[in-house]
Amino acid sequence: MRLTALLMMAARVVVPKDYRFGTNRPWTAAAKRLNPAGKKRRKVFVEPLAAEDWSVLRGDMVQILTGKDAGKTGKVIQVFRHRNWVMLEGLNTHHRYIGRTRDYRGTYIASEAPILLRDVALIDPSDRKPTDVQWKFTEEGDRVRVSLRTGRIIPKPVVERRDGIVAQQWKDGPKDTSPDDTLEKTYVPSLKTLEEEVMEKMGIQENRRNKRSYWY
Amino acid sequence: MATSSSAGRVLTLCKQFQNVFRISSAINSQQCYSVLTKYQPRLYRETSPLAALSWYRPSSYVGQCRALHTTVSRRGLDEFFDLPENWGQTEVKSGAPWTAKQLRTKSNEDLHKLWYVLLKEKNLLVTLEQEAKRQRVQMPSPERIRKIARSMIRLETVVNERETALRLLQTGQEKGRPGAWRRNKFGHVYWYRFKEYAIPWYMNRKYKRKSFFTPKFVQPHIRLRIEKHLRGKARKASLERSTQAKLKEKFPQLKVPAS
């Protein structure tokens, strides 16, 4: 079992403490080119924000307050918590050539630049204006975002799963366990180890005794 | 994702589907049938029309009649291969892996069976992966292996939890393997894990050659090590202080920034 854990650990990328996070994921070639192993880059100071105070989620509609596209609204594509960045769809773009070869100059595309969390505000769905947001608890006990200006709850955006599964339209395959079988509780606590219980159920009788051994 | 309301929780849980076969503990004899028809297992790349092949209907993969404890679907080497309808596909749908919370509600017998079900599925997928490498074709849905590995790790965690709880109750020991805090030649104190031997320690020549004490001439080196450690600690503290000062200067906030 330790081998599996070891393999999974090896597959995961370990990043040094003073790693400078960029728009590329740390395991990509572009990130390795910008942050080569062993090289120390200039430190960026990120405004400290507690993890539970983070209010902008992927899929939210936000408005940019300052910058080139000030006043425009867009959907959040990506969130970089390490740098307090937010990437919006099609906003704050610059143009560059991609897929360049020796003879071909490449495709001219618009690529988005990340925006700081400070320069962005959530949009209240009732009046479609930017607001400040706070995390509060409802009567039922749910933790929700409440806009400070209107007092309306801003719902969490629906996130599509990475594998494209939509829960309502899912059909169990032949190898999937049905929800009823999964949630069925069969555990009865007892003072027996798993081995003893299974041996009992299978009718295995172990009458042999271990030879005397020494632990040191 | 999951709301704390009960309806939302049930709904969310019902939406989770597992990549494992059915573990029904009460299976009546009617279900203990098997539509075992022979078909030639084809190699992965050679996709031929499946009309000639018989249809294998897996009702319960590890179903078992209580009295006998035999596996219903004993297809021999065919268990290393996927269902024929998935041969040649570029994508095979699979559900979510088992979570530790769900596994904790299952009995030890169910977990025992589930382990082997997961193991067999893992062997199937790993065979598929190897065959895909041999044919230089991409394996369909490689995330299935990761889901299975995660489920197995969680299962082991749950089993270890139960074992630790029982051991604490019965003996008061947290660890299953005995050990002791010992000092090595370099002055480090570490948890030495005991090994099982057939002979006592005073008869074990190799063990008697080990020394679990620090000689006197090592003391100056230990002192230097301590000094180095303290210097490192002081450096870390001063670095922390300077970063806090710089953060305060760059982001003048009313409350103290969390470190």
Side-chain angles (χ1 to χ4, degrees):
Chain A
M1 202 57 230
R2 276 195 209 136
L3 183 65
T4 321
L6 206 73
L7 287 170
M8 289 188 86
M9 268 167 61
R12 197 168 32 147
V13 162
V14 176
V15 125
K17 249 194 175 159
D18 48 1
Y19 186 79
R20 189 178 167 127
F21 285 90
T23 38
N24 303 298
R25 313 268 172 166
W27 52 86
T28 44
K32 283 188 196 149
R33 203 186 322 127
L34 290 170
N35 286 339
K39 183 161 176 196
K40 289 206 174 200
R41 288 191 63 178
R42 188 172 306 201
K43 182 169 168 161
V44 273
F45 285 94
V46 171
E47 186 182 345
L49 184 65
E52 56 258 16
D53 290 335
W54 191 273
S55 35
V56 178
L57 305 168
R58 185 165 65 118
D60 268 336
M61 290 301 285
V62 287
Q63 189 178 51
I64 309 177
L65 305 171
T66 54
K68 195 170 67 159
D69 297 329
K72 295 198 188 158
T73 51
K75 196 164 85 139
V76 175
I77 299 288
Q78 240 186 324
V79 150
F80 300 84
R81 292 241 186 155
H82 291 277
R83 299 284 296 260
N84 286 1
W85 276 344
V86 156
M87 288 269 257
L88 304 186
E89 194 173 15
L91 293 177
N92 200 23
T93 54
H94 54 274
H95 297 267
R96 63 185 173 112
Y97 287 97
I98 197 171
R100 202 167 72 94
T101 49
R102 268 285 205 95
D103 316 314
Y104 178 48
R105 66 170 167 217
T107 343
Y108 194 61
I109 57 148
S111 62
E112 303 95 351
I115 310 169
L116 272 173
L117 193 66
R118 278 229 150 219
D119 305 334
V120 134
L122 271 174
I123 292 228
D124 198 342
S126 55
D127 55 357
R128 263 138 356 123
K129 291 230 184 66
T131 40
D132 264 330
V133 156
Q134 227 180 32
W135 283 100
K136 289 205 180 122
F137 287 93
T138 57
E139 295 272 315
E140 290 97 34
D142 308 328
R143 189 159 178 263
V144 286
R145 299 178 289 185
V146 171
S147 107
L148 289 174
R149 198 188 55 219
T150 49
R152 198 189 172 281
I153 296 173
I154 300 175
K156 269 204 209 175
V158 175
V159 184
E160 295 120 25
R161 283 171 65 115
R162 211 182 291 182
D163 40 20
I165 295 176
V166 181
Q168 271 85 11
Q169 295 154 17
W170 175 261
K171 272 226 177 89
D172 271 340
K175 294 190 181 172
D176 290 328
T177 324
S178 69
D180 305 311
D181 283 332
T182 321
L183 298 172
E184 186 190 338
K185 188 180 169 199
T186 51
Y187 178 53
V188 172
S190 70
L191 288 175
K192 287 206 169 81
T193 54
L194 185 140
E195 289 85 13
E196 286 171 10
E197 263 193 45
V198 168
M199 274 168 70
E200 220 182 77
K201 291 259 157 63
M202 291 178 79
I204 300 172
Q205 276 177 349
E206 185 63 62
N207 295 322
R208 300 176 295 180
R209 286 275 172 270
N210 278 332
K211 218 157 149 90
R212 173 87 183 271
S213 69
Y214 301 86
W215 284 85
Y216 51 83
Chain B
M1 182 185 77
T3 57
S4 56
S5 62
S6 54
R9 210 182 303 135
V10 168
L11 197 64
T12 325
L13 281 173
C14 285
K15 283 180 209 166
Q16 282 185 352
F17 307 96
Q18 282 64 35
N19 183 22
V20 174
F21 315 135
R22 206 157 295 196
I23 308 263
S24 34
S25 42
I27 297 176
N28 37 10
S29 47
Q30 286 164 352
Q31 283 186 340
C32 287
Y33 79 108
S34 52
V35 189
L36 281 172
T37 40
K38 290 274 171 197
Y39 58 87
Q40 307 300 318
R42 309 283 172 125
L43 277 178
Y44 174 63
R45 216 195 205 157
E46 303 164 34
T47 51
S48 48
L50 299 175
L53 301 173
S54 331
W55 205 226
Y56 173 68
R57 264 181 291 137
S59 59
S60 43
Y61 238 87
V62 185
Q64 46 109 15
C65 314
R66 255 287 143 75
L68 276 179
H69 301 288
T70 51
T71 318
V72 167
S73 58
R74 282 170 148 219
R75 305 182 295 142
L77 281 179
D78 295 341
E79 297 211 58
F80 279 104
F81 301 101
D82 212 349
L83 303 166
E85 66 225 19
N86 291 336
W87 290 354
Q89 304 288 335
T90 41
E91 229 181 59
V92 177
K93 281 212 298 184
S94 56
W98 284 89
T99 63
K101 196 169 167 185
Q102 291 156 0
L103 290 168
R104 277 187 201 110
T105 58
K106 300 291 169 201
S107 67
N108 283 330
E109 188 198 349
D110 280 348
L111 289 181
H112 183 69
K113 288 181 201 162
L114 182 60
W115 178 265
Y116 287 101
V117 166
L118 288 169
L119 186 67
K120 282 164 75 167
E121 180 69 11
K122 190 167 175 187
N123 285 338
L124 189 156
L125 292 171
V126 162
T127 321
L128 183 59
E129 188 184 24
Q130 189 55 38
E131 185 57 29
K133 278 187 194 166
R134 202 169 81 99
Q135 303 283 357
R136 296 192 232 278
V137 161
Q138 216 183 37
M139 177 193 173
S141 318
E143 74 270 4
R144 291 183 283 173
I145 300 181
R146 294 193 281 274
K147 286 183 190 172
I148 295 249
R150 267 184 216 133
S151 305
M152 288 170 97
I153 288 172
R154 287 165 192 169
L155 205 159
E156 221 209 351
T157 317
V158 167
V159 167
N160 281 337
E161 273 175 18
R162 290 188 188 170
E163 218 179 278
T164 319
L166 190 66
R167 198 186 304 123
L168 275 170
L169 266 177
Q170 290 184 331
T171 56
Q173 302 290 326
E174 205 187 294
K175 295 192 240 265
R177 183 166 163 181
W181 288 104
R182 291 210 180 150
R183 195 183 286 269
N184 70 358
K185 294 185 199 95
F186 303 103
H188 293 119
V189 178
Y190 66 104
W191 180 255
Y192 172 76
R193 285 155 82 236
F194 289 170
K195 262 176 77 172
E196 192 171 17
Y197 296 95
I199 47 171
W201 70 269
Y202 47 84
M203 286 164 64
N204 197 336
R205 272 192 243 154
K206 209 169 137 194
Y207 179 79
K208 282 197 281 192
R209 282 204 291 271
K210 290 193 193 193
S211 47
F212 293 112
F213 64 90
T214 323
K216 259 211 180 129
F217 57 80
V218 182
Q219 289 301 329
H221 298 273
I222 295 175
R223 196 200 160 100
L224 289 170
R225 233 192 5 240
I226 293 171
E227 284 172 13
K228 184 179 177 181
H229 169 72
L230 290 171
R231 251 180 276 137
K233 237 171 81 172
R235 264 207 300 269
K236 218 170 126 181
S238 74
L239 179 72
E240 185 66 39
R241 259 181 277 125
S242 61
T243 44
Q244 289 300 319
K246 266 229 162 109
L247 276 172
K248 254 201 129 134
E249 175 203 322
K250 284 200 181 215
F251 307 111
Q253 292 147 324
L254 292 165
K255 61 177 181 209
V256 176
S259 45

